[in-house]
Amino acid sequence: MALSAKLELRQGQQLVMTPQLQQAIRLLQLSNLELGQFVDSELERNPLLEIDDAPEGATRSEAEAEPLIEQASSAEPSGDDEWLDLAKPAAEPNGGLDVEDYAVDGDGGAPAGGLDSDSGWASLRQTTNSFSGDDINPEAFVTSEPTLREHLTAQLPLILQDPVERLIGQHLIDMVDDAGYLQGDLDALAVKLGAPLGMVERVLEMLQACDPAGVLARTLAECLALQLKEQNRYDPQIAALLENLHLLAAHNLPALKKAVGADMSEITDMIEEIKRLDPKPGLKFGSVQIQPVVPDVLVRAASDGSWAIELNSDTLPRVLVNRTYYAEVSTTTRSEKEKDYLLECLQTANWLVKSLDQRARTILKVSQEIVRQQDGFFTHGVQHLRPLNLKTVADAISMHESTVSRVTSNKYMATPRGIFELKYFFTSAIASAGEGEAHSSESVRHRIRQMIDGESVRQVLSDDMLVDKLKAEGIDIARRTVAKYREAMRIPSSVQRRREKRHAERVGR
């Protein structure tokens, strides 16, 4: 067979991932916090973008700027350049951006200085000589809760006088976590500082006398021992008990009694004394503030018995395209480079506004379908949660599964039953023992917890007994599945629960 060169014409389709399409895909899976950071970065580098700071309900000229979401719109834009014409009404409320139409596969501080640190006192000193007019800084008078690190650093000069020991002590304080425990290896610290290990251990022993009692401990037993020493309650018997905390955690009181060498009444008294101690003394002080979850979707009961679903406007950045500024600047540009840059900024701004608009509509569309599918959960509770997967929701709203997956990632829904991540409503199915409907795995977990919470000390339910009870209720489940669910909920075995209940009953007497 002879080889020869020839020309052929072939027609085919190929996906071109433009930057705008990549941006739309990326915005779908961002949380509201990540979205805010992304929009802030775009505002910094695009002069045609701005935030709508007008009061809610106020109107702006369409020639000046175009808002992100027009909730009253109902018509669909038309034309090849529809995405450039943002003055037209946006897509109908049930519309959404299904990026899978393009066949995309896959998801795309310095140490504090104690009393000399930058606290409110510095600002107060700056304003003491000017108490007139607007010179007063209200933030100067606001007290802030000191962190554990600041609290320990303030005690450092009072405990250690030698400069070398202070240096070691500061490094030890830097190794303390929020709970007050020392995290790190003393040998590595000694090598790093070029100090003898004995000196490091001696400095640590001195710093363990700091307030609150129990800080800078390396283990739970050491933390409890430091607190007992502070109360002058540390003796050989309680020391032996602290050395066998694993027996206490397992509620193996006979073995604990033998290891400590005390009778049961003394063991009970020591256990009660340990319970009054603080296992995490560092948490009394300020630390990293926990960011509360801000829901993306709000669900409330309507007057007609249905559910009203709406987006949380606080999580939607109102981004505007300043067309007035664009018109003014475009008349002064002369070079082609400046015109190209200005046109690129306009196109990028328009694409961002449209992507944010489509993202919000897609979240709303997916949330509406989730509420429709899980109506029993919102009406009656978790025991009526239905099995649900991504494909069911995707087919119902004519989207791809991976689009639904992106939309439900890091998004939260506020309901009358609490705040839930959208992923929470997607649960696997457990077959029915009869011919009834399948059960949601989450509702089965809830039923297992209810059964265990209602058991008595004389009738502690084993995994086999739980299986029998669930099958009697029409839930066909294996024993290993019950054990897996129980362990996932951090519920101990029946043997450990029986020991706990007997101990609680004995203490109650």
Side-chain angles (χ1 to χ4, degrees), residues 130-137:
S130 57
F131 281 95
S132 61
D134 299 331
D135 294 333
I136 299 178
N137 179 17

Side-chain angles (χ1 to χ4, degrees), residues 40 105 110 133 216 223 296 316 355 367 406 409 452 473 485 488 491:
D40 290 342
D105 186 17
L216 289 124
C223 176
D296 301 87
L316 301 176
S355 298
S367 301
R406 291 187 184 97
S409 296
I452 292 177
E473 296 181 3
Y485 287 172
I491 298 176

Side-chain angles (χ1 to χ4, degrees), residues 124-366:
L124 182 59
R125 287 195 296 269
Q126 296 173 4
T127 58
T128 49
N129 296 328
S130 57
F131 281 95
S132 61
D134 299 331
D135 294 333
I136 299 178
N137 179 17
E139 295 181 358
F141 305 96
V142 179
T143 59
S144 60
E145 184 181 0
T147 64
L148 174 64
R149 190 166 172 274
E150 293 172 345
H151 183 69
L152 296 176
T153 303
Q155 301 176 65
L156 185 62
L158 305 177
I159 297 177
L160 302 175
Q161 306 298 328
D162 184 70
V164 176
E165 293 180 346
R166 285 189 185 182
L167 177 64
I168 298 174
Q170 187 62 60
H171 278 79
L172 290 172
I173 291 176
D174 293 340
M175 295 165 60
V176 175
D177 61 11
D178 291 340
Y181 286 87
L182 187 70
Q183 302 294 335
D185 187 13
L186 296 184
D187 293 330
L189 179 61
V191 173
K192 177 182 177 181
L193 300 179
L197 179 60
M199 177 182 290
V200 176
E201 293 176 343
R202 184 174 67 254
V203 171
L204 174 61
E205 185 178 355
M206 297 173 67
L207 286 179
Q208 286 178 341
C210 288
D211 177 74
V215 293
L216 289 124
R218 287 158 288 188
T219 62
L220 175 61
E222 186 178 16
C223 176
L224 300 177
L226 290 173
Q227 298 180 54
L228 291 170
K229 291 177 182 178
E230 177 72 16
Q231 301 173 10
N232 197 22
R233 296 288 298 167
Y234 191 73
D235 54 47
Q237 279 191 335
I238 206 165
L241 189 146
L242 294 178
E243 292 176 358
N244 294 275
L245 282 179
H246 60 285
L247 298 177
L248 179 59
H251 295 276
N252 192 349
L253 297 184
L256 184 63
K257 176 183 175 182
K258 181 179 179 181
V260 176
D263 56 29
M264 188 55 64
S265 61
E266 292 176 332
I267 294 291
T268 303
D269 292 340
M270 286 188 286
I271 292 175
E272 291 301 317
E273 190 169 3
I274 288 177
K275 285 183 177 180
R276 291 192 290 267
L277 302 178
D278 189 356
K280 297 180 179 180
L283 297 183
K284 298 178 182 178
F285 295 85
S287 58
V288 179
Q289 295 185 353
I290 299 176
Q291 179 68 32
V293 173
V294 180
D296 301 87
V297 183
L298 307 176
V299 178
R300 56 181 175 81
S303 57
D304 59 353
S306 62
W307 297 99
I309 304 103
E310 60 182 351
L311 295 174
N312 185 2
S313 59
D314 294 339
T315 64
L316 301 176
R318 294 184 57 83
V319 183
L320 308 174
V321 181
N322 196 332
R323 297 184 179 277
T324 302
Y325 180 69
Y326 170 75
E328 293 176 355
V329 176
S330 60
T331 58
T332 61
T333 55
R334 292 184 174 86
S335 65
E336 290 296 327
K337 185 177 180 180
E338 292 176 350
K339 292 181 180 179
D340 292 342
Y341 171 74
L342 193 60
L343 180 60
E344 181 185 357
C345 289
L346 178 62
Q347 292 177 347
T348 303
N350 287 332
W351 260 105
L352 177 62
V353 171
K354 181 177 181 181
S355 298
L356 292 174
D357 176 54
Q358 295 285 11
R359 174 187 181 273
R361 297 180 186 280
T362 306
I363 292 175
L364 182 60
K365 190 173 183 179
V366 172

Side-chain angles (χ1 to χ4, degrees), residues 457 460 493-503:
V457 65
V460 177
S493 65
S494 58
V495 176
Q496 292 177 313
R497 297 200 307 274
R498 184 178 291 106
R499 288 175 180 172
E500 291 178 3
K501 293 180 182 296
R502 285 179 178 176
H503 172 68

